[in-house]
Amino acid sequence: MKVFFWSVFFLLVNTMLAASINYEVTMPEPQSHYFEVTMNIVDYEKNYVDVNMPVWAPGSYLIREFEKNIENINAFSNDKKLVINQLDKNTWRLFTNKSKNIKITYSVYAFEQSVRTSFLDASHGYFNGSSIFMFVKELLNKPITLTIVPFKEWKKVTTSLNKTSETEFIYTALNYNVLVDCPVEIGNHETFSFNAAGVEHTVAMVGKGNFNMEVLKVDMKKIVETATAVFWENPNKKYTFIIHNVTRGGGGLEHQNSTTIDVDRSTYQGDDYKGFLSVVAHEYFHLWNVKRISPSSFDLFDYSTENYTDLLWVMEGFTSYYDELLLYRAGYFTEDEMIKKCTNSINSIENQPGSSVQSVTESSFNAWVKGYRPNENSYNSTVSYYTKGSVIANMLDLMIAESTKGAKSLDDVMNYLYQEFYKKQHRGITIADVQLALEKVSGLNLNSFFNDYVNGTKSFDYQTIFGYANINVDIYKSQSVNLGITSSNNMIKTVIKNSAAFKGGLNANDEIIGLDGFRVDNNINDLIKNKQIGDTVDLLVSRDNILINLSFPLVENDSFYYKLSTNSDNKNDVYNKWLKKL
């Protein structure tokens, strides 16, 4: 019995060791928006094979149901068509009769322009791997070959995958995780390169825009070298930027040695250009923070369900803090602009009712169902782990500088996390690891800090903490009068908790028709800004196409605004450590 068991075991192991997967992607009719994918499973002998389609893209915490775009699945062995049964929404079972070599073909509809999905039209093709490649769970760690056959008129493919052919677009990946972590751009796009921090960087500029490639070379190089200085080293030999110049939408998504960024095609001038550089800095900082300093729950991705973490306030929030700090250090923001950025983040969270309801750990963990799926009440019930996390990073940076008399900063914490957990222990981090690193660098006991501000919803004593850097914090109670709504064309989008509208019974999706007997033709807040607290307003609204009258008093605004200011002649060691130049 034992001999039989071990014989079967070693047979399975040997089968696994020999197996490999090859993919081919073609696009013969790009105007149809279909990628054609062939998946070859080689030397994998079983009675059946289960193939899966990912349901989400790592780095974007929403179940996107990529299987909805899959069509025409067929499987063959020795040119004989195999029986396929669909087991659930993203799993198909192929009955192989122990055939060693299986060919699977399927079509992927690709017409969603974003950094998380795939897009194909007559102008270019782009795919994010998890939205296009099926996988076999038992073979996730096997080496992969990818062949791309561009549309006949397209001459370029840009990706961070390793190219193995001089004449064809053939690439290899160590395993499935690497494959889907290397997005691919196909077409006739412009490209340029620059060397920074000892790394060759390739930039694909897709679509028309008002960019200047020579200017971008200089500015992107500065950002790369400023980010690398935080960690002392750059972990890549090469890095790829894929930048889509679009007319709507935007965003970025980080990868192990590349990123995709979608921006407005007219963004390369003035303040908008600084916004673009901030996105570049954000995605590039993820090279370390997320892709190497990562939550322990991301050590093994499950592509078929949510992967929860309570650390997005570090992964995204700290990165949001650094994307502004890096631009300051590189010379793109002035001191006044940097302090204004910090002020805006503080005012954003302190005047959002949801910041007293949801902690940043809860915000992180529930990103899948709350952060990425907001509704009309989200402003009242949630807080952004991006913004709140950046404020926490700011507070910790000042506290560390104060505790160490200007000797250390949050940079030292990030570097410690990178060196200790990524390079030495080769594992992801937990919230306890983050606290340990912060305490080790600062010498502080942070139990109360984590209880109050990370796991709790308490507001910071901004005057004390900014006072470490001789920065004044003035707090003003808002004197403005408003209903307490957000609206578009007089259609209410959000009713703010405890506002006049909230207490008076206005609902999201109400359309404001009239005020005090007069028709409303513009922003309702413009019509009441000269009223006083306690004045009664009479509103005519359309609710589900039924006209109703509401009458209620305007109430005092609960908002407080923070203003940070500094004296250029009164800068101390903490200030100089915080706002240091490169």
Side-chain angles (χ1 to χ4, degrees):
M1 187 71 175
K2 290 181 181 179
V3 172
F4 174 76
F5 170 80
W6 286 112
S7 296
V8 172
F9 174 78
F10 284 118
L11 177 62
L12 290 173
V13 169
N14 288 333
T15 299
M16 295 278 287
L17 288 173
S20 63
I21 296 182
N22 305 316
Y23 296 90
E24 181 182 79
V25 178
T26 65
M27 54 222 74
E29 297 180 305
Q31 78 284 355
S32 71
H33 317 304
Y34 282 97
F35 285 112
E36 304 298 334
V37 181
T38 300
M39 175 182 179
N40 290 294
I41 304 173
V42 181
D43 289 333
Y44 187 53
E45 186 178 351
K46 288 183 66 176
N47 286 324
Y48 64 84
V49 175
D50 290 341
V51 293
N52 298 80
M53 189 69 193
V55 301
W56 67 291
S60 182
Y61 308 104
L62 176 69
I63 296 298
R64 298 184 181 275
E65 314 289 16
F66 289 131
E67 67 278 3
K68 67 187 177 184
N69 295 318
I70 301 298
E71 301 176 24
N72 302 320
I73 301 177
N74 289 287
F76 305 87
S77 177
N78 298 320
D79 295 325
K80 181 180 179 181
K81 195 170 185 179
L82 303 178
V83 175
I84 303 175
N85 284 348
Q86 186 166 359
L87 303 184
D88 56 38
K89 65 180 182 180
N90 70 320
T91 308
W92 291 262
R93 176 164 291 176
L94 319 178
F95 293 92
T96 63
N97 297 318
K98 293 189 176 182
S99 298
K100 282 190 173 184
N101 301 322
I102 309 299
K103 181 173 78 171
I104 304 162
T105 63
Y106 57 94
S107 303
V108 181
Y109 181 71
F111 199 56
E112 183 177 348
Q113 179 73 68
S114 84
V115 299
R116 301 163 294 272
T117 54
S118 296
F119 182 85
L120 179 65
D121 70 0
S123 64
H124 77 110
Y126 168 82
F127 58 81
N128 191 332
S130 63
S131 70
I132 196 169
F133 292 120
M134 289 184 169
F135 64 91
V136 177
K137 289 182 179 179
E138 294 85 357
L139 302 181
L140 283 172
N141 290 320
K142 304 303 294 184
I144 288 169
T145 298
L146 168 65
T147 301
I148 298 172
V149 181
F151 176 58
K152 59 184 178 180
E153 296 178 2
W154 296 345
K155 307 303 179 184
K156 285 186 180 180
V157 174
T158 299
T159 179
S160 59
L161 287 167
N162 291 319
K163 195 167 186 283
T164 61
S165 172
E166 293 292 330
T167 58
E168 297 180 276
F169 298 109
I170 301 176
Y171 304 87
T172 58
L174 181 65
N175 52 43
Y176 183 84
N177 290 337
V178 173
L179 174 71
V180 300
D181 202 29
C182 297
V184 177
E185 176 64 36
I186 311 142
N188 293 318
H189 46 277
E190 295 185 85
T191 59
F192 66 89
S193 299
F194 64 91
N195 190 284
V199 177
E200 188 67 21
H201 292 73
T202 298
V203 184
M205 300 298 291
V206 185
K208 294 181 179 180
N210 62 338
F211 54 84
N212 181 316
M213 288 193 289
E214 294 306 314
V215 172
L216 286 173
K217 286 180 185 179
V218 173
D219 294 339
M220 294 174 76
K221 176 183 174 73
K222 283 184 183 178
I223 291 170
V224 166
E225 292 182 339
T226 305
T228 303
V230 176
F231 297 94
W232 307 344
E233 66 179 25
N234 196 303
N236 283 325
K237 294 182 179 179
K238 63 177 183 177
Y239 189 90
T240 302
F241 290 94
I242 298 173
I243 299 176
H244 292 138
N245 297 289
V246 296
T247 55
R248 61 186 183 274
L253 188 63
E254 68 277 1
H255 299 281
Q256 190 82 354
N257 53 5
S258 64
T259 185
T260 302
I261 298 174
D262 286 4
V263 296
D264 188 286
R265 64 179 73 255
S266 62
T267 198
Y268 301 93
Q269 292 179 350
D271 288 340
D272 287 343
Y273 183 53
K274 290 183 181 180
F276 165 73
L277 293 179
S278 181
V279 175
V280 171
H282 186 100
E283 300 308 325
Y284 203 82
F285 197 78
H286 276 319
L287 183 70
W288 295 271
N289 193 32
V290 169
K291 299 311 297 184
R292 287 163 177 85
I293 305 168
S294 63
S296 58
S297 57
F298 291 178
D299 284 349
L300 293 174
F301 281 126
D302 186 338
Y303 291 98
S304 295
T305 188
E306 298 89 345
N307 289 221
Y308 295 101
T309 176
D310 55 8
L311 281 175
L312 293 183
W313 61 278
V314 174
M315 302 297 110
E316 294 291 354
F318 281 27
T319 302
S320 295
Y321 174 65
Y322 270 98
D323 70 44
E324 295 175 345
L325 196 58
L326 295 178
L327 259 64
Y328 167 77
R329 292 178 182 175
Y332 297 101
F333 288 155
T334 65
E335 290 185 13
D336 287 343
E337 286 177 310
M338 186 63 199
I339 289 174
K340 185 178 180 180
K341 293 285 185 182
C342 297
T343 304
N344 291 342
S345 294
I346 291 168
N347 284 322
S348 175
I349 63 168
E350 292 300 335
N351 289 296
Q352 181 174 346
S355 65
S356 63
V357 175
Q358 187 184 56
S359 70
V360 287
T361 51
E362 293 171 326
S363 177
S364 299
F365 198 84
N366 289 289
W368 300 89
V369 294
K370 293 188 176 182
Y372 273 81
R373 297 166 69 183
N375 61 24
E376 69 282 348
N377 194 48
S378 294
Y379 189 76
N380 295 321
S381 60
T382 66
V383 68
S384 166
Y385 50 76
Y386 283 88
T387 308
K388 183 67 176 289
S390 73
V391 172
I392 291 174
N394 194 174
M395 298 299 97
L396 287 167
D397 207 2
L398 292 169
M399 290 168 62
I400 294 167
E402 165 69 11
S403 178
T404 62
K405 296 181 171 55
K408 294 185 181 298
S409 71
L410 192 61
D411 287 11
D412 297 282
V413 176
M414 301 307 299
N415 201 309
Y416 176 84
L417 291 171
Y418 173 68
Q419 297 290 338
E420 180 65 25
F421 296 100
Y422 172 69
K423 295 193 69 176
K424 293 182 182 178
Q425 298 190 35
H426 309 292
R427 68 172 178 87
I429 61 173
T430 66
I431 196 168
D433 295 326
V434 175
Q435 182 174 342
L436 174 67
L438 286 162
E439 291 180 341
K440 184 178 181 67
V441 170
S442 68
L444 297 170
N445 184 316
L446 294 174
N447 286 336
S448 295
F449 184 96
F450 272 72
N451 288 335
D452 292 343
Y453 309 118
V454 176
N455 298 314
T457 60
K458 188 176 179 179
S459 292
F460 288 105
D461 181 354
Y462 296 107
Q463 291 174 317
T464 295
I465 297 176
F466 277 107
Y468 297 153
N470 286 341
I471 294 175
N472 299 318
V473 180
D474 296 311
I475 306 174
Y476 303 92
K477 188 172 179 61
S478 174
Q479 300 300 313
S480 64
V481 176
N482 58 60
L483 286 177
I485 62 170
T486 63
S487 62
S488 176
N489 297 322
N490 296 318
M491 185 72 71
I492 297 176
K493 300 299 182 184
T494 299
V495 178
I496 298 172
K497 191 174 183 179
N498 295 326
S499 67
F502 183 87
K503 295 177 179 179
L506 282 172
N507 291 348
N509 300 320
D510 284 352
E511 181 185 6
I512 300 176
I513 305 297
L515 170 69
D516 294 339
F518 295 92
R519 183 175 179 84
V520 173
D521 291 321
N522 54 13
N523 190 308
I524 184 66
N525 286 326
D526 290 341
L527 300 179
I528 65 171
K529 64 184 179 182
N530 293 322
K531 292 182 178 292
Q532 304 296 316
I533 299 299
D535 288 353
T536 297
V537 292
D538 296 308
L539 291 174
L540 176 65
V541 303
S542 172
R543 181 177 296 168
D544 195 24
N545 289 330
I546 298 174
L547 296 179
I548 61 175
N549 290 287
L550 292 172
S551 181
F552 53 84
L554 296 173
V555 300
E556 188 174 12
N557 198 319
D558 290 334
S559 298
F560 288 86
Y561 291 92
Y562 296 76
K563 182 179 180 181
L564 277 60
S565 59
T566 182
N567 185 335
S568 59
D569 298 326
N570 195 27
K571 297 174 182 177
N572 60 12
D573 290 342
V574 173
Y575 185 95
N576 291 330
K577 185 65 174 178
W578 175 42
L579 293 185
K580 63 184 178 183
K581 289 290 187 180
L582 181 65

